[in-house]
Amino acid sequence: GADLMRAGDIAAGKDVDLASGAATWVDANPRTVDNRLRTDNGFLTSEISVNDNRDWVADLLSTYVSLITNRIAGRLTATTAWAAYVTALVVLGDFVAPDVIGPYTNFEVPNWPHELVGGFLAILLVFRTNQAYERFWEGRKMWADLAAQTRKLSHLVIAHVPANRAPAVLAHISAFPTALKMHLRGYKSEVELQGIYSSFLGRESSKSATLVANSNNMPLTIIMSISHLLAPLRGLDRSAHYEMVWELAEQTLDDLTNVVSGCEKIKCTPLPLSYSRHTSRFFSLFTLSLPFALVKQTSPLIVPLTVLLVTWVLLATNEVGHVIEDPFGNALMRTAGRGAASMVTREWLEREFALFDTDGKGHVTTSDV
């Protein structure tokens, strides 16, 4: 509701000419709210070029710092070390000590078993990632519905709810996405909620933040609080159509309740554990047996590298599925911690600090704010 014009005046029924160019809330607080359109991962859409996703050289060079690669680094190391060990053992048996080790390395594994299961492996991997992406996209649609319903409710409150109740309702609406995020990620932060409520309620915000943070289901508690605040509208002057406003608000709250239920359904119903375990075992068996099929067919020097590349492709693709199957998690956050604290990076802090440090002196004074 922060991007709406003079909430208190409109809710109080004052005569406000929207076409007169009068100062809006954002005009009076230019650095308080950033309403610029951003992507889900925080980038401004105005700063994204159509060529940003085509820099394949940068993508290739950043492979070693990839978060997905870091998550599978242990398995990659173990598989490559195993391939190197098998290769070294075969080389010793064939060339260095054939009389001692030769009888144990005098074998040749055919290629056809790996070729035979390769097609099935590809189908298994595609099915795994498709199922994960469907969950991710369903979660994204839920969050888009949440944004639409909260904006709709904010507009309704700004335009029709009396001024003595509008700030409290707007505070709850603004806190709802954060409360739902914390609910789905399994943590609570009264400080995070306090920062939102204080923007609307000032010193009276601590009570609301504490009430929500201490509840068992934070988003549903906010929905019930909004419903409680708007209930008196049914008894006001019927000529002002307050009852209709209340009905529209209740319909929107019902839609928000459905959003909460839909998000909980995705969060509480992960892909079957047996399926993930079978995929992991299958990949492990395939990659650990691959050196035996390659060591007699190609140069021993490239066997570990080949196994490393094949293992990376399989495990990285599978890990992407694990990450995106939980659209509300923070598995790809680079910093430690959970929730909003996980998204606070040095670059973000420097950018936000620069908004207030208007004179560039390296510190913020009352004149800057």
Side-chain angles (χ1 to χ4, degrees):
D3 60 337
L4 302 176
M5 182 177 290
R6 296 206 291 182
D9 290 345
I10 297 177
K14 295 182 180 180
D15 185 13
V16 179
D17 184 4
L18 300 182
S20 64
T24 65
W25 191 91
V26 175
D27 294 328
N29 303 270
R31 287 187 291 272
T32 303
V33 176
D34 186 358
N35 289 316
R36 293 174 294 179
L37 190 62
R38 294 179 180 270
T39 62
D40 288 343
N41 50 4
F43 293 102
L44 288 171
T45 55
S46 59
E47 297 178 356
I48 298 178
S49 169
V50 293
N51 297 320
D52 283 352
N53 294 326
R54 300 178 184 176
D55 193 355
W56 67 273
V57 176
D59 292 341
L60 185 63
L61 295 177
S62 63
T63 301
Y64 72 99
V65 296
S66 167
L67 292 172
I68 293 295
T69 302
N70 291 336
R71 289 170 64 94
I72 62 174
R75 286 170 285 176
L76 284 177
T77 302
T79 305
T80 306
W82 169 253
Y85 172 76
V86 171
T87 303
L89 194 64
V90 171
V91 170
L92 287 175
D94 290 350
F95 302 103
V96 179
D99 296 334
V100 179
I101 308 178
Y104 301 99
T105 61
N106 187 22
F107 63 85
E108 185 174 346
V109 177
N111 292 330
W112 64 263
H114 288 81
E115 294 175 355
L116 182 64
V117 301
F120 176 71
L121 185 147
I123 294 175
L124 183 66
L125 195 60
V126 169
F127 179 78
R128 176 71 176 80
T129 52
N130 281 346
Q131 290 295 314
Y133 186 78
E134 286 180 5
R135 291 168 55 85
F136 172 82
W137 189 243
E138 184 179 358
R140 184 63 187 89
K141 291 191 293 185
M142 287 289 178
W143 209 258
D145 192 20
L146 178 147
Q149 298 301 333
T150 52
R151 288 173 178 174
K152 174 183 175 182
L153 186 59
S154 298
H155 295 169
L156 189 67
V157 172
I158 289 295
H160 301 288
V161 174
N164 61 336
R165 290 185 177 271
V169 178
L170 291 174
H172 282 306
I173 296 173
S174 299
F176 182 80
T178 300
L180 180 57
K181 176 199 68 174
M182 292 190 291
H183 175 64
L184 295 173
R185 290 185 177 178
Y187 79 102
K188 296 181 180 181
S189 175
E190 185 175 340
V191 175
E192 194 172 344
L193 293 171
Q194 179 68 29
I196 300 173
Y197 281 103
S198 62
S199 300
F200 294 87
L201 304 177
R203 297 179 179 179
E204 300 178 359
S205 60
S206 59
K207 183 178 180 180
S208 298
T210 302
L211 174 66
V212 174
N214 292 335
S215 62
N216 293 327
N217 192 310
M218 291 181 287
L220 290 185
T221 299
I222 289 180
I223 291 176
M224 293 298 295
S225 298
I226 295 175
S227 181
H228 177 73
L229 288 170
L230 296 180
L233 293 180
R234 291 177 294 176
L236 297 180
D237 186 8
R238 290 183 175 272
S239 62
H241 304 291
Y242 282 120
E243 187 172 359
M244 183 179 298
V245 173
W246 173 81
E247 291 179 356
L248 292 175
E250 285 295 320
Q251 292 176 5
T252 306
L253 292 177
D254 287 342
D255 293 334
L256 288 177
T257 303
N258 293 334
V259 169
V260 175
S261 300
C263 292
E264 290 176 339
K265 179 195 70 173
I266 298 174
K267 183 68 177 181
C268 299
T269 313
L271 290 177
L273 181 60
S274 57
Y275 183 83
S276 299
R277 285 179 174 175
H278 173 70
T279 304
S280 177
R281 292 164 182 164
F282 184 30
F283 287 171
S284 298
L285 181 62
F286 184 89
T287 55
L288 292 176
S289 62
L290 187 59
F292 296 98
L294 295 177
V295 70
K296 297 286 188 175
Q297 305 293 331
T298 185
S299 171
L301 295 177
I302 66 173
V303 171
L305 179 60
T306 302
V307 172
L308 172 64
L309 293 177
V310 172
T311 304
W312 177 78
V313 171
L314 294 177
L315 295 185
T317 306
N318 186 55
E319 192 64 27
V320 168
H322 281 294
V323 170
I324 67 175
E325 75 177 17
D326 182 10
F328 312 113
N330 53 354
L332 291 181
M333 294 299 177
R334 288 188 176 272
T335 53
R338 297 184 296 180
S342 305
M343 295 179 281
V344 178
T345 63
R346 182 179 180 86
E347 292 77 11
W348 182 86
L349 288 173
E350 291 177 348
R351 184 171 63 249
E352 295 299 316
F353 182 81
L355 293 175
F356 291 92
D357 186 20
T358 56
D359 53 11
K361 294 183 178 180
H363 57 83
V364 178
T365 62
T366 55
S367 60
D368 293 328
V369 179

